Amino acid sequence: MVQKADKLFINAHVLCMDDDFNRYEKGAVAVTGDHIQGVGNMDQLTKEYQAPEVIDCKGKILMPGLVDAHTHVPMNLLRGLGDDLRLDVWLLGFIMPVEREFVSPEFVHLGTSLACAELIRSGVTSFADMYYFEDQVAEATAAAGLRAICCQTILKFPSPDADSFEEALAASETMIKKWKGHPLITPAVAPHAAYTSTVDILGSATALAQKYDVPLHIHIAETSQEVEDCLDEFDMPVVPYLEQFDVFNAKVIAAHCVHIDEREMHKLERYGVGVAHNPTSNLKLSSGIAKIPRMLELGLNVGIGTDGVSSNNDLDMFEEIRLAALLAKGSSGDPTAVPARTAIAMASSMGAKSIHLGDQTGSLEVGKKADLILVNIDTLHNSPHY
Ligand SMILES: [Zn+2]
């Protein structure tokens, strides 16, 4: 029997990015409401489905929308500020004072809208954000029609939207209650990093994430300095330090993890922590190169992030995918490290798992959200291709 769908995308090279990496050279996708109803060969699908709207994809690649696993979208308004500084000088001496002076709800809404336009341009349909006035990030993102994990930042010192951590924590809970269950927005909490948190912050942010079953987003071991300071002060590296406060019992998205050792990787894998790898940001701020091939070997879900525009200068996810593959090859001495398929998975199916949205997006499968992009591969700089 012929089934009804809302939209039928036909004549596409369908790249599913599911567990079996299915692809259909002359494929089609049926969509009803906001979810995928059918995926397969065009000949078969056009017999099975009828839709009032049929979109001819003209041989372009139809694939899952990309997932930006770590960013700070309002920072689009700070592009180019404080280039060529090391991370601690850049963040604590430059960016944070600028933010305390200028960041307001209007700033956040405007910056998010601009970032959403840039993200759409590079094929991103989902992202994990960490910033201030996160309610405004959620508002602007939902208005743009993108999917996001919106994580309210908590710091041990005054921030643009809170004079104390208690205030930031209360704002996080208010935002979580407001947005929980929204079709596009997943509210969450973000103790910024171990070195910008207190024991109280780590404990209460974890309790909040667990209470509402929402993700917890945190920067981990971004620089060697962070690890050295943690070793000096607490006699242990960053991951075991955070483990003491049960942080990993929440659904954690760990940004960077540039300087974690083998034991820390095993721990993160055991807890089901998602890692967000940020190649450009780690290079621009001279943070180092994360050991991504080893993390993948151990079975960690590693996503790719742009980080904020201030530590990147753009939100081009295809550039990040390419860099993730090349960095892994160049730093490991192994040209087979992070092949193209893995790099794309890190920005789609595995990327979605890394931000704990794997059940909703990241691959073209029946029942998942219809987060679709079309990629034109017949451009001058890509012709001919094999
Ligand atoms: Zn960041």
Side-chain angles (χ1 to χ4, degrees):
M1 203 178 87
V2 178
Q3 300 182 57
K4 289 198 184 316
D6 291 342
K7 290 186 176 75
L8 202 52
F9 294 84
I10 61 162
N11 196 21
H13 185 150
V14 177
L15 206 58
C16 296
M17 298 313 293
D18 53 5
D19 288 344
D20 298 326
F21 291 99
N22 280 309
R23 65 189 181 104
Y24 304 94
E25 284 202 31
K26 203 164 175 62
V29 174
V31 171
T32 294
D34 67 351
H35 69 274
I36 295 168
Q37 203 180 348
V39 186
N41 282 314
M42 182 173 135
D43 287 349
Q44 197 184 330
L45 235 77
T46 45
K47 286 191 192 98
E48 285 177 19
Y49 293 95
Q50 256 182 359
E53 194 178 352
V54 177
I55 297 122
D56 183 351
C57 300
K58 297 184 176 157
K60 294 187 178 75
I61 291 180
L62 181 62
M63 62 180 286
L66 303 179
V67 177
D68 184 344
H70 176 66
T71 186
H72 312 276
V73 282
M75 294 181 98
N76 263 52
L77 296 186
L78 303 177
R79 197 187 311 263
L81 264 190
D83 279 353
D84 308 318
L85 296 171
R86 59 180 233 207
L87 188 129
D88 53 350
V89 177
W90 170 81
L91 181 67
L92 303 171
F94 201 90
I95 291 292
M96 282 182 168
V98 167
E99 287 176 329
R100 276 194 287 274
E101 182 72 26
F102 295 104
V103 171
S104 64
E106 295 73 27
F107 177 105
V108 168
H109 197 282
L110 183 64
T112 303
S113 300
L114 181 62
C116 284
E118 188 177 345
L119 288 167
I120 290 168
R121 186 172 170 266
S122 83
V124 173
T125 55
S126 303
F127 61 89
D129 187 70
M130 178 199 290
Y131 210 61
Y132 314 105
F133 300 108
E134 200 65 31
D135 180 57
Q136 290 300 310
V137 174
E139 291 280 357
T141 302
L146 291 186
R147 191 178 305 287
I149 313 264
C150 295
C151 311
Q152 174 71 33
T153 300
I154 301 178
L155 290 169
K156 68 180 176 188
F157 31 74
S159 67
D161 62 353
D163 291 331
S164 65
F165 99 81
E166 289 89 348
E167 213 181 300
L169 196 71
S172 303
E173 184 156 18
T174 305
M175 197 207 53
I176 290 169
K177 282 186 187 160
K178 178 177 170 185
W179 289 94
K180 191 138 170 56
H182 189 277
L184 292 171
I185 305 300
T186 301
V189 62
H192 169 268
Y195 65 95
T196 48
S197 295
T198 58
V199 170
D200 278 352
I201 291 177
L202 294 171
S204 41
T206 303
L208 187 66
Q210 287 185 292
K211 180 178 174 189
Y212 291 97
D213 190 29
V214 295
L216 181 149
H217 200 163
I218 185 166
H219 296 91
I220 291 183
E222 183 171 359
T223 62
S224 53
Q225 187 69 50
E226 178 184 342
V227 178
E228 277 166 36
D229 291 347
C230 198
L231 283 168
D232 282 352
E233 203 171 340
F234 307 110
D235 208 24
M236 61 182 96
V238 183
V239 170
Y241 172 73
L242 291 170
E243 188 185 24
Q244 302 174 95
F245 313 112
D246 295 332
V247 170
F248 301 117
N249 291 338
K251 295 190 290 194
V252 173
I253 306 164
H256 302 297
C257 299
V258 177
H259 300 277
I260 59 171
D261 61 27
E262 184 82 12
R263 285 180 62 187
E264 291 179 286
M265 289 182 202
H266 278 284
K267 271 190 203 297
L268 295 184
E269 193 277 327
R270 260 205 323 278
Y271 282 110
V273 170
V275 172
H277 173 42
N278 302 272
T280 299
S281 170
N282 294 159
L283 290 176
K284 186 182 176 199
L285 293 164
S286 204
S287 304
I289 300 173
K291 297 178 194 77
I292 300 304
R294 184 61 183 145
M295 290 187 210
L296 293 171
E297 227 168 59
L298 292 176
L300 274 155
N301 284 319
V302 182
I304 299 177
T306 54
D307 212 345
V309 150
S310 294
S311 50
N312 185 317
N313 286 354
D314 65 49
L315 300 177
D316 184 340
M317 268 300 283
F318 280 100
E319 185 180 291
E320 298 302 325
I321 293 170
R322 177 178 151 90
L323 206 46
L326 294 179
L327 267 183
K329 294 172 198 302
S331 62
S332 68
D334 175 7
T336 68
V338 186
R341 178 190 274 193
T342 305
I344 298 284
M346 287 165 70
S348 55
S349 49
M350 204 194 305
K353 286 179 195 159
S354 78
I355 62 168
H356 307 280
L357 282 186
D359 57 336
Q360 292 189 44
T361 191
S363 60
L364 306 189
E365 293 178 82
V366 172
K368 282 210 177 175
K369 301 290 185 187
D371 295 350
L372 312 173
I373 58 169
L374 272 179
V375 181
N376 182 8
I377 52 170
D378 289 328
T379 48
L380 182 70
H381 65 282
N382 199 33
S383 302
H385 54 252
Y386 301 99

